[in-house]
Amino acid sequence: MFAKMMARILLLALALSMVEFSTSHLLKSSVTCLDCVTSSDLAGIKILVKCKDVKNLAMATTNEYGVFETQLPSSNCEAKIMGGPKQLYISRKTMVTSITEVRETDSYTTSQPLSFYTSCPLSETHDGKCGAQNDAVGRKIGSSKTVDLPLPREWGLAPSSYYVPFVPIIGIP
């Protein structure tokens, strides 16, 4: 009698040791290219997932359709596009999004689509978000080419571009 009971306990312990209790959930989502042609390859885009109160970050890589999956250690997380094999232009509004649970399943998805451009989108205000066409005040940035005046070599001076734009102020009371 005692042997049968011990065998049952041993079988129950063996069965429970084979069961993996997982507290993580699966994140399934995708990225969207806003200026790509329909058959573009979206593989290799890196998505960083950070969860609140968890030290480890999760990283996902998209497939050719822009779909990615990763395990979440907790449910309070955010996803962020980190970059890809080519230069990406991402709006700050769509760069980071929170993770929400999908009803009727044990998976999660992004609350807003993670979207990007492959070329600099035209800005209606022309405030230079993608390039260095304008400075922060809105003025045009001029050329960085310096002036090089021809000086005789006999003088033994450095090229004039080293010191012509610099006007030292000495002796101001």
Side-chain angles (χ1 to χ4, degrees), residues 79-96:
K80 177 181 182 180
I81 296 179
M82 292 303 293
K86 297 178 184 173
Q87 176 72 40
L88 302 178
Y89 296 92
I90 305 165
S91 168
R92 290 181 194 229
K93 295 175 187 174
T94 61
M95 181 186 290
V96 178

Side-chain angles (χ1 to χ4, degrees), residues 85-161:
K86 297 178 184 173
Q87 176 72 40
L88 302 178
Y89 296 92
I90 305 165
S91 168
R92 290 181 194 229
K93 295 175 187 174
T94 61
M95 181 186 290
V96 178
T97 185
S98 60
I99 307 291
T100 59
E101 187 173 5
V102 178
R103 302 196 196 291
E104 294 104 25
T105 63
D106 193 27
S107 64
Y108 288 75
T109 189
T110 54
S111 61
Q112 297 174 352
L114 291 169
S115 57
F116 63 92
Y117 293 95
T118 57
S119 62
C120 181
L122 296 176
S123 176
E124 292 179 12
T125 60
H126 303 292
D127 55 358
K129 293 289 185 186
C130 290
Q133 293 121 5
N134 299 326
D135 66 357
V137 184
R139 299 173 297 205
K140 290 284 188 188
I141 295 177
S143 172
S144 63
K145 187 175 181 180
T146 58
V147 177
D148 194 13
L149 300 173
L151 297 173
R153 290 181 182 231
E154 302 85 43
W155 291 2
L157 297 173
S160 64
S161 61

Side-chain angles (χ1 to χ4, degrees), residues 20-111:
E20 293 182 15
F21 295 106
S22 176
T23 60
S24 63
H25 304 284
L26 185 65
L27 169 65
K28 296 181 184 179
S29 191
S30 64
V31 296
T32 305
C33 179
L34 300 174
D35 63 349
C36 296
V37 294
T38 56
S39 61
S40 294
D41 184 15
L42 300 177
I45 298 172
K46 302 290 185 186
I47 310 298
L48 180 74
V49 179
K50 179 169 179 5
C51 298
K52 187 174 183 183
D53 299 328
V54 177
K55 288 184 181 180
N56 296 339
L57 303 174
M59 183 68 79
T61 305
T62 60
N63 64 10
E64 62 269 9
Y65 304 109
V67 177
F68 63 92
E69 293 182 1
T70 189
Q71 292 290 330
L72 297 175
S74 77
S75 59
N76 190 4
C77 302
E78 290 183 336
K80 177 181 182 180
I81 296 179
M82 292 303 293
K86 297 178 184 173
Q87 176 72 40
L88 302 178
Y89 296 92
I90 305 165
S91 168
R92 290 181 194 229
K93 295 175 187 174
T94 61
M95 181 186 290
V96 178
T97 185
S98 60
I99 307 291
T100 59
E101 187 173 5
V102 178
R103 302 196 196 291
E104 294 104 25
T105 63
D106 193 27
S107 64
Y108 288 75
T109 189
T110 54
S111 61

